[in-house]
Amino acid sequence: MADLESQRSLSGLWVLGNNQLVDEWKRQGVQVFSRDPDPGRLTQRSADFHKLLLKIQGVPPAPDRSQLELAVRFNACVFSVAQAQTERAQSLLTEGLHRALGVAGGTGGGGTGDPSSEASALWGPALRAVADGPLAVGALRLLCLQWAVWLSSNRLARIQELRGELSSLSVRLSALEEEEERKRSLSASDRQPPRLVADPLRLTELLDVCTVVARGAEWLSDGRPSDALSELQRAFSLPAPRDVLAQAHVLAGRCLADTGRPQMALLCFMRAMEAEPHCVSALHRSTEVYRQLGNATALVEGLRLLHTALRLPPPAAPSVTAEVSPLSAPLLLGSPALGSLLSAPPAPSVQRRLALSCVLHGRVAEGVELYLDLLAALQSDPQHAVQAPPPLQAQAPPPLQASPRGAELYLEAAAALLLAGRGPDCWALCDEVLSATLDLLPQRLTLGDPSEDRDRDQDQDRDQDPLDVVLWAGSAHLLQAHCQAALEDWKQAVTCYTRCINLTGKVCFKTHGPPPPSPSGDLCGGPGAGLRSLQTLKGLSLAGRGVCFTQRGQLREALRDLQLSALVAPGGVGAGLWLGEVLWRLDRRREAASCWERSLAAEPPAETLPLYLQEPRSSPSLDPSVLRSRVQSLTQT
């Protein structure tokens, strides 16, 4: 009898100790999550609950103490999950199932060696064994945490195996807790029940909507956008935090975009922004849709908003109420698929895209300012943008090696400056590129087929690829030649174009199959992209030199270069028109008319060309209406 009273006294002390730990967490949890996170406090609180759990397990199990043990085990397991200690949490859950089965007189399946698989086999027998006893509510609370463990470790297949039990978990748990509360209200005992650090019912609601979002993300990643959309639509009818609801809208928008419904996708992204104003993923995906639709104005404005949002400090933590749970949606939704689908580029990358979009869509002055602002920001601090760009003459540009692919950024900015009529500034940036690449240029470079180029790109640092170095230096010479051509200094322009041609001549292509393909498609990536960029560069430099020879009256030399340009990089509209002009002046008018007709009917070049490898707008141009009238007059004779 004395032993029984002693054990009851111990149970009371353990309940008191559990409740004190919970109360301390409620007070300290606000500081942990609304200010700087302190992992040490989570670790300390987890250790406190584990020590208490070991004390309780030191006495023989009994139904009343087992209820206390399940509550303390729940609290200890919550902190293990909060610290991403899924193996420890799973061990606690599996051990708790075995002990509950022992008290209830049930038996479970043998171990499989995998704690998660073992728990999956144990849950059915355990829930049936305790269904009508005092341990039922404690077992269901542990089932909530089993759900959290599987979700946080992205084991959606395990969740699917227990879908029947999990789908009714909230209803069953709510009924049992209401029954327990009714019994306590009718009881004359003043003993306090063991409190919990997290409300199981609220946790179940969070787990339900997070599972829907995680499953939708997985299906979308697997190329099943229609199935993913059907699943994600369930999230909109479930209780959900604003950030989770915003994620669901973003994923639904991506599904709609992938199935050819861009306008509905934009509506989903707008709803995501309404749910979470700082949802940069929704802004990023909106810009992708605007690009697909060809809506230049909306694209530029969307990129501007995205860049502003990325530069803002992170939103302040929401006000914390008395219910402070260590388990949050970001902890539960940590799957790689979801992270990839909701990712957004960094602010400097967005600023570069914004600058390029402005230049491509006629807002050249604005694009130039953005490029210069970005170069200045990279010099001072890669994480912050400068309010106003410094003049290039007063401050040297940042070293190219300070940022990945820095030469390409310099060349884009130089091309934009050339379009804005700022030839000296363009020349200065090109000089920086030439200085940085001078010691890296190979004497000669032999390339294999495009697949070998791809393997080479994967095996070595792209910034040290000799083909890239040739392309950067050649593009710098090309832009400087354009600068001279814009000034009508034809002699100096010929010199710069020749330097570019000589650089491209250092690269030869070795293959046993058909000749390399002509430039087409995306020149910014993929197998053989470097080779196609090289051909485009050579074609532009030959065409530019041919135009200069034309202006100097050297028509034979002009004809040679323009014909070589058409052979190396067919499809150039400007080169084709000037080739026709040279043929016309050489009195080969039928050939000239045919050349003009082909060039005037050609499709404009794809925007996937780097800005510095596009046909120059600053070079001398021919009036298409005059050329058409010449063709018409020739055909009438």
Side-chain angles (χ1 to χ4, degrees):
M1 193 69 173
D3 289 344
L4 183 59
E5 290 298 324
S6 175
Q7 291 179 12
R8 287 178 177 174
S9 176
L10 284 174
S11 295
L13 289 174
W14 290 333
V15 170
L16 180 61
N18 174 82
N19 292 349
Q20 287 177 344
L21 292 176
V22 172
D23 291 341
E24 289 177 11
W25 161 253
K26 299 288 186 182
R27 290 193 299 270
Q28 296 178 357
V30 175
Q31 298 178 357
V32 171
F33 286 98
S34 64
R35 299 191 184 99
D36 294 331
D38 185 358
R41 291 183 178 178
L42 283 174
T43 303
Q44 182 60 47
R45 194 59 59 227
S46 176
D48 292 339
F49 278 112
H50 277 84
K51 289 178 183 177
L52 181 57
L53 180 60
L54 289 175
K55 293 178 182 178
I56 298 172
Q57 292 179 154
V59 299
D64 57 341
R65 284 193 301 279
S66 293
Q67 294 181 58
L68 170 61
E69 179 185 333
L70 290 178
V72 176
R73 188 177 295 275
F74 176 91
N75 290 335
C77 191
V78 164
F79 285 100
S80 293
V81 177
Q83 297 176 89
Q85 299 174 348
T86 54
E87 292 184 3
R88 188 178 189 184
Q90 187 61 69
S91 178
L92 283 170
L93 293 170
T94 304
E95 183 184 31
L97 288 178
H98 281 296
R99 290 178 66 85
L101 279 167
V103 172
T107 58
T112 64
D114 179 2
S116 180
S117 300
E118 183 180 355
S120 206
L122 281 173
W123 274 111
L127 293 176
R128 288 191 294 271
V130 303
D132 299 323
L135 304 183
V137 65
L140 290 178
R141 289 168 179 166
L142 291 187
L143 181 58
C144 291
L145 292 182
Q146 180 66 83
W147 192 352
V149 168
W150 284 337
L151 181 58
S152 63
S153 56
N154 198 35
R155 298 188 177 183
L156 299 181
R158 297 288 183 204
I159 297 174
Q160 186 66 24
E161 291 174 4
L162 289 181
R163 187 170 186 174
E165 290 82 356
L166 296 177
S167 61
S168 60
L169 177 59
S170 179
V171 175
R172 293 164 63 192
L173 187 57
S174 177
L176 287 174
E177 290 197 345
E178 287 179 3
E179 180 64 18
E180 276 202 346
E181 183 64 30
R182 187 183 66 82
K183 289 180 179 179
R184 280 196 294 269
S185 64
L186 297 176
S187 173
S189 174
D190 57 353
R191 293 178 59 187
Q192 291 291 323
R195 291 199 282 272
L196 306 174
V197 294
D199 183 351
L201 287 175
R202 292 188 181 181
L203 178 58
T204 302
E205 291 178 349
L206 179 62
L207 289 167
D208 195 10
V209 69
C210 286
T211 301
V212 170
V213 172
R215 188 178 292 116
E218 184 180 68
W219 290 351
L220 181 56
S221 295
D222 291 342
R224 301 164 55 189
S226 298
D227 295 337
L229 181 60
S230 300
E231 180 71 8
L232 289 165
Q233 286 173 341
R234 291 183 50 221
F236 305 138
S237 60
L238 298 173
R242 298 181 70 86
D243 56 342
V244 178
L245 186 60
Q247 291 177 4
H249 280 301
V250 172
L251 294 175
R254 292 209 58 180
C255 293
L256 290 164
D258 289 351
T259 53
R261 290 174 280 181
Q263 298 298 339
M264 295 181 67
L266 289 173
L267 182 60
C268 284
F269 298 143
M270 183 185 68
R271 289 172 178 166
M273 293 295 298
E274 291 173 352
E276 181 59 59
H278 196 76
C279 185
V280 294
S281 177
L283 280 172
H284 172 51
R285 296 303 166 186
S286 297
T287 62
E288 295 298 318
V289 173
Y290 290 138
R291 181 177 286 107
Q292 293 172 5
L293 293 174
N295 190 335
T297 302
L299 172 61
V300 170
E301 293 307 316
L303 287 170
R304 192 188 313 282
L305 287 173
L306 176 58
H307 181 243
T308 302
L310 288 169
R311 293 173 60 192
L312 291 174
S319 58
V320 183
T321 61
E323 176 59 36
V324 182
S325 172
L327 302 182
S328 60
L331 176 70
L332 300 172
L333 290 173
S335 72
L338 184 64
S340 175
L341 292 169
L342 297 176
S343 64
S349 176
V350 173
Q351 184 171 352
R352 181 175 174 179
R353 294 183 189 181
L354 175 58
L356 179 60
S357 296
C358 286
V359 172
L360 291 175
H361 297 105
R363 302 163 74 162
V364 177
E366 188 176 350
V368 165
E369 295 303 308
L370 287 165
Y371 273 122
L372 296 179
D373 193 26
L374 180 56
L375 290 175
L378 290 176
Q379 183 180 31
S380 58
D381 185 349
Q383 300 300 321
H384 297 88
V386 180
Q387 294 298 322
L392 288 176
Q393 295 81 357
Q395 186 173 10
L400 292 184
Q401 61 269 25
S403 61
R405 314 294 282 184
E408 294 178 356
L409 174 60
Y410 269 59
L411 291 169
E412 281 183 19
L417 286 164
L418 178 60
L419 288 173
R422 297 172 61 174
D425 294 340
C426 170
W427 188 282
L429 280 183
C430 291
D431 272 344
E432 290 293 327
V433 175
L434 293 172
S435 298
T437 57
L438 179 63
D439 296 332
L440 301 175
L441 284 170
Q443 291 298 319
R444 190 164 184 80
L445 180 60
T446 302
L447 300 180
D449 59 43
S451 63
E452 293 176 4
D453 293 346
R454 176 186 56 195
D455 295 338
R456 184 196 66 236
D457 293 346
Q458 294 173 350
D459 292 340
Q460 62 180 305
D461 182 357
R462 286 286 296 163
D463 289 336
Q464 300 301 318
D465 188 343
L467 177 58
D468 280 344
V469 177
V470 172
L471 288 171
W472 296 337
S475 298
H477 284 305
L478 179 71
L479 290 175
Q480 289 186 334
H482 292 339
C483 290
Q484 297 302 320
L487 296 174
E488 298 186 1
D489 186 347
W490 309 118
K491 181 179 179 180
Q492 187 62 34
V494 166
T495 301
C496 293
Y497 282 127
T498 302
R499 289 172 182 165
C500 180
I501 294 168
N502 291 340
L503 267 180
T504 62
K506 290 186 175 185
V507 182
C508 62
F509 188 83
K510 181 179 180 181
T511 181
H512 300 291
S518 300
S520 61
D522 188 354
L523 298 190
C524 300
L531 172 65
R532 296 195 298 273
S533 295
L534 183 72
Q535 291 174 291
T536 301
L537 176 62
K538 189 171 185 177
L540 288 173
S541 56
L542 285 166
R545 193 172 69 173
V547 172
C548 293
F549 282 140
T550 305
Q551 297 295 329
R552 299 176 65 183
Q554 297 174 261
L555 297 184
R556 296 295 177 184
E557 291 82 357
L559 180 62
R560 177 202 61 202
D561 281 355
L562 289 167
Q563 286 177 331
L564 285 173
S565 174
L567 180 65
V568 172
V573 176
L577 296 179
W578 276 103
L579 176 57
E581 177 69 17
V582 172
L583 290 169
W584 185 272
R585 295 186 188 184
L586 291 172
D587 204 25
R588 296 164 62 175
R589 301 195 170 188
R590 294 288 179 184
E591 296 176 64
S594 176
C595 191
W596 284 333
E597 287 176 339
R598 287 195 305 270
S599 299
L600 292 172
E603 294 291 329
E607 288 188 358
T608 47
L609 277 168
L611 184 62
Y612 49 87
L613 288 182
Q614 295 186 13
E615 293 195 49
R617 306 179 202 172
S618 56
S619 295
S621 59
L622 297 170
D623 188 348
S625 61
V626 173
L627 302 181
R628 288 191 180 94
S629 65
R630 288 182 183 178
V631 173
Q632 186 176 7
S633 63
L634 186 64
T635 55
Q636 291 175 352
T637 59

